[in-house]
Amino acid sequence: MAGLHDYVESLALRTGQGRSTDEAVLTLFMAGILRPRDARNSNELTATHIASVRRVINKWIDSGDRDRDRISRIANDGDYSESALDDAYKEAEKVANRRASKAKITFDRIGAELSGTIPRTRDEIKDAEERSYLSAARLQTPLEGRNDDEMIWDNGLVPLDALMFRDECPACTSRTSHMAGSLIGQREILKSACFCEINRARAIGGAISMLVDSMRDAALEVPTDATAQASVQLIANTAFRFLLRDIRKVSPDQPTSIAACTLFFLHDCSWLRSGAAALMQLSL
């Protein structure tokens, strides 16, 4: 059938030289080989591709984050007893301390310098990592323990896209009753989404993640590049400022990185709306 030969040939090329079929599927998915309008057509090619993408992303979810899963198991083993929760929190603190690496501190400083903001201390980076793991392990909501002052940037301004995150979307919150970053939450979110939604999260999430990295590199390489500097300033005043201050999230050299990115943007359409708005503004 039309297109099937090209699809199979692309898979063959990607699985050569010791590469896995899973990596090949994610590479084609990252490249957007299947257009949204094609996904509505029921045929062998689209069905095979969609099923393969779902299978590989589910496999990525099941491989899990070992630190997150260990923290979750510690709490569950004690049936969320006080002592078990204390042990889980101690483990989260230990993991966060390790994750607050020199590389993270360096990227945070570079992003802060480029955007004219205040770099975080190592303790602040560690606290953010700890909150992230406690949330993913379903031991704390993402904003628990944070006060209203922390929702304002260190320059005293409110993010340009703040209104997009003000209200929860009923459709998004209904995808799972668990924490979106947890293993079971990710499974349920992926299962509830149609392929067009998955592909949209891939397209917007992958584009904004790679573009911000490219802008940061351009601004560092050529400090006199007015366009790159202005683009960095724009992103620095949106929720995506964290991409300026962290290690590269999505790379064509690492096909599995698109799985994590897609799930992140799939769980909350506020990120999709903000990402689309940022891409539109940057293109203008």
Side-chain angles (χ1 to χ4, degrees):
M1 59 180 297
L4 186 56
H5 179 270
D6 292 337
Y7 182 62
V8 173
E9 184 178 5
S10 296
L11 278 174
L13 289 172
R14 286 300 305 169
T15 53
Q17 302 178 352
R19 294 187 176 112
S20 69
T21 302
D22 290 351
E23 183 179 332
V25 169
L26 287 176
T27 300
L28 296 177
F29 175 59
M30 180 184 286
I33 193 172
L34 186 65
R35 293 168 295 182
R37 65 174 176 269
D38 296 329
R40 292 191 291 268
N41 300 325
S42 179
N43 58 51
E44 184 181 355
L45 174 59
T46 57
T48 299
H49 180 67
I50 292 171
S52 297
V53 169
R54 286 187 179 277
R55 175 185 61 79
V56 175
I57 295 181
N58 264 310
K59 186 175 179 180
W60 180 88
I61 293 173
D62 289 340
S63 67
D65 182 314
R66 292 180 180 180
D67 290 325
R68 174 199 65 190
D69 295 343
R70 185 172 64 257
I71 293 167
S72 184
R73 281 198 304 273
I74 291 173
N76 274 307
D77 287 345
D79 195 23
Y80 294 107
S81 66
E82 186 175 346
S83 61
L85 288 173
D86 285 343
D87 289 341
Y89 272 74
K90 288 177 183 177
E91 183 64 22
E93 184 179 6
K94 186 190 303 182
V95 170
N97 190 53
R98 187 178 73 249
R99 293 273 180 165
S101 62
K102 290 183 178 179
K104 272 188 175 291
I105 295 171
T106 299
F107 272 97
D108 190 84
R109 176 181 54 78
I110 290 172
E113 289 176 356
L114 281 174
S115 58
T117 54
I118 301 173
R120 293 177 296 175
T121 65
R122 185 180 186 279
D123 284 341
E124 288 172 332
I125 293 174
K126 182 177 73 68
D127 288 345
E129 287 287 317
E130 185 176 348
R131 280 200 300 266
S132 175
Y133 272 97
L134 290 172
S135 171
R138 292 181 286 165
L139 299 178
Q140 185 181 93
T141 60
L143 298 181
E144 186 176 327
R146 300 181 65 183
N147 55 49
D148 292 339
D149 291 340
E150 291 182 274
M151 307 306 293
I152 301 176
W153 289 156
D154 46 40
N155 56 12
L157 300 177
V158 176
L160 295 173
D161 51 0
L163 289 177
M164 296 181 181
F165 294 88
R166 172 176 289 179
D167 300 316
E168 287 186 334
C169 169
C172 291
T173 54
S174 67
R175 292 189 187 279
T176 178
S177 58
H178 302 90
M179 292 293 184
S182 66
L183 188 147
I184 188 170
Q186 289 179 327
R187 285 176 180 164
E188 291 177 347
I189 289 169
L190 182 64
K191 183 178 180 180
S192 68
C194 68
F195 186 77
C196 285
E197 292 172 322
I198 297 170
N199 189 64
R200 181 179 60 188
R202 184 271 318 165
I204 295 177
I208 194 71
S209 298
M210 289 192 280
L211 184 59
V212 170
D213 279 325
S214 297
M215 291 186 320
R216 179 177 62 191
D217 292 345
L220 282 172
E221 186 175 350
V222 186
T224 56
D225 186 335
T227 300
Q229 296 294 338
S231 298
V232 166
Q233 291 301 319
L234 172 65
I235 293 299
N237 285 286
T238 71
F240 292 105
R241 64 157 38 186
F242 76 93
L243 291 175
L244 287 171
R245 304 169 72 150
D246 205 351
I247 298 167
R248 182 182 293 270
K249 296 296 185 183
V250 178
S251 172
D253 295 333
Q254 299 176 324
T256 52
S257 63
I258 197 63
C261 176
T262 299
L263 287 167
F264 176 82
F265 279 83
L266 187 63
H267 90 272
D268 187 345
C269 64
S270 296
W271 289 102
L272 287 172
R273 293 197 299 273
S274 179
L279 290 171
M280 178 65 73
Q281 190 62 40
L282 289 169
S283 68
L284 292 174

